[in-house]
Amino acid sequence: QLQLVESGGGLVQPGGSVKLSCAASGTTLENDAIGWFRQVPGKEREGIACISSSGYNTAYADAVKGRFTISRDNARNTADLQMNGLKPEDAAVYYCAAADYAFATNQAICLRESFYDHWGQGTQVAVSS
């Protein structure tokens, strides 16, 4: 059974950077598309970045495009989310997720919560001065 654990969250100043990591255990991630999501209290979970199993295809929500970068290392069974230029509105609990598919056929699907089958517990990111 695939298990995902996020790490790297914490308090960051506006304009700062943080790198989140997602470590998998139980089975390999190499055949799974990976997504990063975030959620704030009272709102739905939002898909912000995704990457195909090969790492060749990525997609981003408009809110984070140009500031966040998703990557993966199949040899290490990990996926990362580099977040730069953080804004107060980026504060949320961040989740990584894995799909039982290698890729999504379009960005909308790739960023959709229902595409994913396995979820981590989340890591909190706070953005404040």
Side-chain angles (χ1 to χ4, degrees):
Q1 180 73 16
L2 178 62
Q3 292 186 323
L4 302 173
V5 178
E6 302 93 339
S7 61
L11 176 63
V12 186
Q13 290 188 339
S17 298
V18 69
K19 186 175 185 179
L20 305 182
S21 293
C22 176
S25 62
T27 186
T28 179
L29 274 180
E30 65 182 1
N31 299 314
D32 298 353
I34 300 293
W36 281 95
F37 291 73
R38 65 186 183 187
Q39 189 171 27
V40 297
K43 291 192 175 182
E44 293 186 355
R45 194 147 51 180
E46 172 191 20
I48 57 171
C50 54
I51 188 167
S52 61
S53 61
S54 65
Y56 291 146
N57 300 106
T58 58
Y60 298 90
D62 288 343
V64 306
K65 199 173 293 184
R67 299 187 298 124
F68 292 11
T69 303
I70 188 172
S71 62
R72 65 189 298 156
D73 186 336
N74 287 342
R76 293 174 56 236
N77 227 21
T78 59
D80 294 332
L81 183 68
Q82 177 67 46
M83 305 193 295
N84 300 328
L86 283 162
K87 306 174 182 180
E89 53 264 40
D90 293 318
V93 177
Y94 283 74
Y95 300 88
C96 69
D100 289 339
Y101 298 91
F103 62 93
T105 54
N106 61 58
Q107 175 172 321
I109 293 173
C110 187
L111 296 177
R112 189 176 297 164
E113 190 173 350
S114 61
F115 179 64
Y116 295 89
D117 303 284
H118 311 279
W119 292 84
Q121 298 283 347
T123 185
Q124 179 81 50
V125 174
V127 183
S128 175
S129 54

